[in-house]
Amino acid sequence: MSKLDSGISREAAFELLSQHNKEEFHIEHGKTVEQTMRYFAREFDPENEDFWGIVGLLHDLDWEEHGDEPMMHTIYAADDIRAAGGSEELIRAIQTHTSDFNTELPHPELQMEKILFATEELTGLIGAAVIMRPSKSIMDFNVKSLKKKFKDKRFAAGVDRDVITSGAEMLGWELDYLFARTIEAMQSFAPDRDTFQAAE
């Protein structure tokens, strides 16, 4: 794998996220996806872990301010990231996760882009399911419980199940395998965490 350059430090990326997002839910979602991406980067592309992480952190940069214009999602973000010194490859990677909605955006090609596409909505579903549990902990959460929540379309109704299924197909992974790996990823950075919030 070649070295990828985000053009922006993790600190600067977090500052950018905080400038454009005031709701704790959106900041936590960015951090959750960041850590999920870092987990997979350590396995698939360790030399680019920071790049994968920053992609995860900033993937929904413009959603809080422009969620009422879904066709423009990540297009507004591109200008903000560019202005902060972010690279074109960083912008491209972020834009791939919404290419199902706006087909003019680049489609996932790199493993990193496919993993972002497959896990981003899924982390929201897992987070929403975890806070319903008596323990409020990811550590005793499993694939069987997740499958029940995935099948119940009324639960976390804003989570697009088709995107998750498409992401698994892109990766060539069974849905159960994607579920298991994403739970593992979230367990790896949140052993004592009870702050997952419901997906909107």
Side-chain angles (χ1 to χ4, degrees):
M1 285 277 184
S2 57
K3 185 80 173 143
L4 296 166
D5 178 22
S6 62
I8 186 173
S9 69
R10 196 273 171 192
E11 292 72 25
F14 185 72
E15 197 175 303
L16 189 62
L17 182 71
S18 304
Q19 279 170 15
H20 293 278
N21 291 271
K22 302 306 173 196
E23 291 177 28
E24 188 62 21
F25 173 80
H26 292 131
I27 292 172
E28 283 302 318
H29 177 60
K31 291 198 289 190
T32 296
V33 177
E34 174 194 13
Q35 293 300 327
T36 301
M37 293 295 286
R38 284 181 176 277
Y39 172 86
F40 284 110
R42 289 193 287 274
E43 178 178 344
F44 293 110
D45 190 13
E47 132 177 71
N48 287 311
E49 183 184 332
D50 280 347
F51 186 96
W52 285 51
I54 290 168
V55 167
L57 188 65
L58 294 181
H59 77 281
D60 272 353
L61 176 66
D62 59 15
W63 187 253
E64 185 178 308
E65 293 174 333
H66 301 289
D68 56 341
E69 296 179 82
M71 285 300 283
M72 295 298 289
H73 179 34
T74 73
I75 293 172
Y76 285 115
D79 292 335
D80 295 328
I81 293 167
R82 215 172 268 125
S87 67
E88 291 305 314
E89 51 196 345
L90 174 66
I91 291 166
R92 185 212 129 80
I94 286 168
Q95 289 191 325
T96 61
H97 92 276
T98 192
S99 59
D100 60 307
F101 197 81
N102 183 346
T103 53
E104 290 183 14
L105 293 172
H107 288 258
E109 289 172 9
L110 301 175
Q111 181 85 344
M112 166 195 51
E113 295 165 349
K114 293 173 184 176
I115 286 175
L116 176 66
F117 191 95
T119 61
E120 185 256 335
E121 293 266 320
L122 186 53
T123 62
L125 181 64
I126 293 169
V130 163
I131 58 166
M132 302 298 290
R133 297 172 71 74
S135 67
K136 298 218 176 352
S137 169
I138 186 102
M139 300 314 285
D140 60 2
F141 191 57
N142 58 36
V143 171
K144 187 178 173 189
S145 300
L146 179 54
K147 283 170 83 168
K148 272 190 202 154
K149 297 298 187 190
F150 185 82
K151 284 177 182 159
D152 178 2
K153 299 290 187 353
R154 292 163 305 173
F155 179 79
V159 172
D160 191 331
R161 272 74 169 168
D162 292 340
V163 165
I164 296 168
T165 304
S166 299
E169 286 168 5
M170 265 181 218
L171 286 163
W173 294 359
E174 295 290 332
L175 206 50
D176 281 15
Y177 183 72
L178 174 64
F179 287 175
R181 295 306 313 276
T182 308
I183 292 169
E184 278 170 26
M186 292 173 73
Q187 286 172 338
S188 77
F189 62 85
D192 304 311
R193 180 173 173 186
D194 60 2
T195 57
F196 292 116
Q197 297 178 51
E200 292 172 342

